[in-house]
Amino acid sequence: MSVRSYADFTTQATFEIKKCDVHKLDEAPATQVVMTRDEGLQYYRTMQTMRRMELKADQLYKQKIIRGFCHLYDGQEACAVGIEGGITLSDHLITAYRAHGYTYTRGGTVKEIMAELTGRRGGIAKGKGGSMHMYCKNFYGGNGIVGAQGQIFETYNMAALWKLPAIFVCENNRYGMGTSVERASASTDYYKRGDYIPGLRVDGMDVLCVREATRFAADHCRSGKGPILMELQTYRYHGHSMSDPGVSYRTREEIQEVRGKSDPISLLKDRMLSNNMASVEELKEIDVEVRKEIEDAAQFATTDPEPPLEELCNHIFYNDPPLEVRGTNPWTKLKSVS
């Protein structure tokens, strides 16, 4: 640890952030924002944990310890961390299939997430949900069906009619599976897709931009003005899923350019160091602690037992008496316990 005392550091600083594009709004989120040292350290630790967790998941998948679908979030960390910085844990959140990061920010532990990925009893869904089905209090998990998000325009309509306090978020990572947004969309102004719903286009690689836009959006909803749409312009470093190498429809040079110029963790780190809010040694110490947490979680995720067969059909219903469930043939009977 640095010999400098905590009293030597700047406790808070003001930052200039990129202006949001707006749709059907008379005001916009502030472009000058304040971040405290404690907030910066928290954001840094959380994003580093998410990054390292996803890199470890990549490693375990390639070792065939994690199987099935697995969609990684590295590169998009500022979206989840910034959103959480602008709302509270009592607010309700649901995401798509790229769910590991939000499971962590919503209160899941690295150990629970890694064990869920490996299908173990200690997983956050008891080893039966996997990558796309993780849940916490006020977090309704990932959604494994892409088409299930297809009713978005009907949802916009109902939310606007009823003036629901809903923030719709499009994490635009520039590719829908292997197709670039420019090839797939006649208009890439996704923040305007709500039509009659106000919208914001936000720098999704900057945690402070996302946080400020989310605060603005939350205030809009809480004041009774109805729903709002946020498009977060971000980037994923991995392919769509682990079965996609991610370099057949984009170049390695493109990925490296984004890493070099817009990485959300590097951006936050540079801000903190240049404003005397942390030392290089302090951030390195956080990196070491994060790596150890990830390694310990991976060790647990590879040694914890798998759930027994008799638990296969449990939790079909929330609070019903035990019931019989037919197995793979009419003679196999399994019990379901709520």
Side-chain angles (χ1 to χ4, degrees):
M1 184 61 189
S2 170
V3 294
R4 293 160 64 191
S5 72
Y6 291 120
D8 295 332
F9 293 116
T10 304
T11 56
Q12 71 174 39
T14 301
F15 299 93
E16 193 77 29
I17 59 172
K18 187 177 176 182
K19 184 180 179 181
C20 294
D21 296 319
V22 298
H23 170 65
K24 288 192 178 297
L25 286 166
D26 297 324
E27 298 178 293
T31 55
Q32 279 200 329
V33 299
V34 173
M35 180 179 72
T36 68
R37 168 179 147 81
D38 288 344
E39 287 171 342
L41 291 173
Q42 178 199 339
Y43 300 157
Y44 181 81
R45 181 183 290 272
T46 304
M47 289 200 289
Q48 275 288 30
T49 301
M50 291 163 68
R51 175 73 55 88
R52 291 288 165 187
M53 180 172 68
E54 298 296 61
L55 294 178
K56 178 56 70 172
D58 171 274
Q59 182 184 337
L60 294 177
Y61 196 96
K62 288 171 179 171
Q63 294 172 357
K64 298 188 176 180
I65 296 170
I66 295 173
R67 310 300 292 265
F69 293 105
C70 186
H71 306 83
L72 302 183
Y73 199 63
D74 50 319
Q76 298 182 215
E77 296 91 351
C79 296
V81 176
I83 285 172
E84 295 288 15
I87 58 175
T88 71
L89 288 175
S90 62
D91 292 313
H92 301 260
L93 191 147
I94 187 168
T95 189
Y97 41 77
R98 208 173 299 280
H100 310 162
Y102 286 104
T103 306
Y104 180 67
T105 62
R106 286 271 109 182
T109 66
V110 177
K111 186 180 285 188
E112 289 172 326
I113 295 166
M114 296 300 294
E116 190 58 41
L117 290 171
T118 58
R120 307 305 171 106
R121 292 181 72 171
I124 200 160
K126 303 185 186 298
K128 297 192 290 184
S131 173
M132 300 183 287
H133 305 102
M134 302 183 184
Y135 311 92
C136 302
K137 184 176 174 60
N138 297 331
F139 173 58
Y140 307 105
N143 192 323
I145 308 299
V146 179
Q149 299 169 63
Q151 302 93 339
I152 191 69
F153 292 104
E154 295 89 338
T155 308
Y156 287 161
N157 184 54
M158 291 175 71
L161 282 171
W162 296 344
K163 283 205 162 186
L164 299 181
I167 303 173
F168 295 99
V169 180
C170 166
E171 290 188 43
N172 178 6
N173 60 26
R174 293 168 46 177
Y175 294 92
M177 300 185 75
T179 306
S180 69
V181 293
E182 291 81 11
R183 289 182 61 206
S185 299
S187 169
T188 57
D189 292 337
Y190 294 107
Y191 71 109
K192 296 180 180 178
R193 288 286 184 93
D195 189 9
Y196 37 79
I197 292 177
L200 298 167
R201 181 158 60 190
V202 185
D203 182 356
M205 302 299 272
D206 183 346
V207 68
L208 295 184
C209 278
V210 179
R211 185 190 72 177
E212 201 60 31
T214 305
R215 285 177 175 172
F216 178 92
D219 288 344
H220 175 95
C221 290
R222 296 190 208 283
S223 64
K225 295 177 183 175
I228 191 169
L229 170 60
M230 291 202 306
E231 176 191 347
L232 309 182
Q233 294 187 308
T234 184
Y235 197 82
R236 57 168 161 79
Y237 294 154
H238 269 84
H240 167 72
S241 71
M242 282 301 297
S243 60
D244 167 23
V247 289
S248 59
Y249 49 86
R250 59 182 183 175
T251 63
R252 295 183 190 277
E253 289 74 25
E254 176 186 302
I255 301 168
Q256 289 307 316
E257 183 180 8
V258 175
R259 280 184 183 274
K261 294 182 178 178
S262 307
D263 183 76
I265 298 175
S266 297
L267 176 61
L268 176 64
K269 180 179 180 179
D270 291 346
R271 275 181 173 151
M272 294 192 71
L273 293 176
S274 61
N275 284 273
N276 191 38
M277 300 181 83
S279 66
V280 172
E281 294 79 11
E282 185 177 18
L283 297 181
K284 279 184 179 176
E285 188 171 284
I286 291 174
D287 294 346
V288 170
E289 291 169 359
V290 166
R291 285 196 184 96
K292 184 179 187 310
E293 181 182 9
I294 301 300
E295 289 302 324
D296 290 347
Q299 178 67 22
F300 173 76
T302 53
T303 55
D304 192 48
E306 295 180 354
L309 182 62
E310 57 266 22
E311 290 185 10
L312 178 65
C313 293
N314 287 356
H315 311 115
I316 292 176
F317 297 103
Y318 161 62
N319 196 21
D320 279 9
L323 69 148
E324 279 192 342
V325 179
R326 200 185 86 179
T328 54
N329 63 64
W331 302 278
T332 306
K333 298 290 185 183
L334 297 167
K335 183 175 281 190
S336 175
V337 179
S338 294

